Amino acid sequence: IYHDGTDSYIDDNGTGGLQLRASNLYLRKTGTSENMITADQDGTVTLYYDNAVKLATVTGGVTVTGTVTASSGLFQTERGTASAPTFTFSDDTDTGMYNVSNADLGFTVGGTDRLHIKASGNVGIGTTNPYQKLHVLDTTCSSDSLDKAGAILMLRGQQGDEKYAGIGFNWGYDRDDQPFAYIGTQVKNFASYVNGDLVFGTRSVVTDTAPTERMRITAAGNVGIGVTPETDWHADWHGFQVGEGTLGVLKTGAQLSL
């Protein structure tokens, strides 16, 4: 043990290792009780930053306080399970992400599988075996009417009259193109509970242009193909229009025969 005028050293040139023996070990800042490293007998080894605990060994492994940053290399761990996911939260240990099997990623909530990403790229919500790029399964979804209990998927668009929300279709290219076909809704009366029209569109050209509306079913039940259905029919009547002509005008409850 010596001091070279600048720093102090413990220098052991003998064979074997250097052992420090004590019931508890404390490495502290000079002249203070500020801890840098502590080691308790049969217990925790703790690393500090500015006297604040950052890493500590515990019975089940290691506890880290703060952010872990890896500048390079891999962070590897065990696969985990749905009830005990590998990546989880200190106060919610059965919610998180785990590796179901090779190239099969799972997300679990409350110990139950909720979302799966397969090696094929297929994503399953409510299923562990998705057959398509997006496969949604809800075996509890059931209703005898057109209400929310029977809706597996709900699309919500921007608030305000005349706003559109829907699904666009394209083919084969991974780029930001306009859809060539569209199915959606247009809000007509925005309030606490809205109503609106169901619209269908396609395009006839092979350029990057938005589809043109081809058919519309209004909130009142009127149907127009190639034209927006008239809005001034009597409330007891419904109409079906093709182009500028009216193919049929039906009283409520009546049937159309062609």
Side-chain angles (χ1 to χ4, degrees), residues 8-227:
S8 297
Y9 296 87
I10 299 176
D11 195 353
D12 180 17
N13 293 319
T15 60
L18 175 65
Q19 299 185 27
L20 299 177
R21 297 187 178 185
S23 296
N24 299 298
L25 176 66
Y26 305 95
L27 181 60
R28 290 174 171 161
K29 182 178 179 180
T30 302
T32 71
S33 60
E34 180 178 321
N35 291 318
M36 293 185 285
I37 301 174
T38 63
D40 299 328
Q41 180 175 291
D42 299 326
T44 302
V45 176
T46 307
L47 301 182
Y48 297 79
Y49 178 85
D50 196 17
N51 209 35
V53 175
K54 294 300 178 182
L55 186 146
T57 60
V58 294
T59 302
V62 177
T63 297
V64 177
T65 303
T67 302
V68 177
T69 301
S71 59
S72 62
L74 300 175
F75 183 78
Q76 297 178 322
T77 184
E78 298 297 323
R79 293 188 187 280
T81 64
S83 59
T86 304
F87 298 92
T88 185
F89 307 92
S90 61
D91 61 347
D92 192 5
T93 57
D94 59 358
T95 295
M97 181 179 70
Y98 72 107
N99 183 216
V100 182
S101 59
N102 287 338
D104 189 352
L105 188 62
F107 294 83
T108 179
V109 177
T112 301
D113 284 304
R114 296 302 185 187
L115 186 146
H116 262 66
I117 304 176
K118 306 290 283 188
S120 61
N122 291 351
V123 177
I125 299 176
T127 176
T128 60
N129 192 27
Y131 295 105
Q132 303 296 335
K133 288 303 178 186
L134 178 60
H135 184 166
V136 180
L137 175 65
D138 185 357
T139 57
T140 65
C141 184
S142 177
S143 178
D144 294 329
S145 62
L146 300 178
D147 62 9
K148 63 182 180 181
I152 295 178
L153 180 65
M154 184 78 77
L155 301 180
R156 298 180 184 271
Q158 184 178 357
Q159 297 179 353
D161 288 350
E162 309 302 322
K163 300 296 184 181
Y164 286 88
I167 302 172
F169 299 87
N170 218 317
W171 191 263
Y173 296 104
D174 184 15
R175 62 193 188 195
D176 187 22
D177 289 351
Q178 293 281 3
F180 67 80
Y182 181 92
I183 300 174
T185 61
Q186 185 184 30
V187 175
K188 304 307 292 184
N189 292 285
F190 178 77
S192 296
Y193 300 97
V194 305
N195 69 21
D197 299 350
L198 183 63
V199 296
F200 301 81
T202 61
R203 72 175 179 221
S204 60
V205 297
V206 290
T207 58
D208 186 26
T209 53
T212 299
E213 183 178 321
R214 306 300 185 186
M215 187 174 84
R216 176 179 291 256
I217 304 174
T218 68
N222 297 327
V223 180
I225 299 178
V227 63

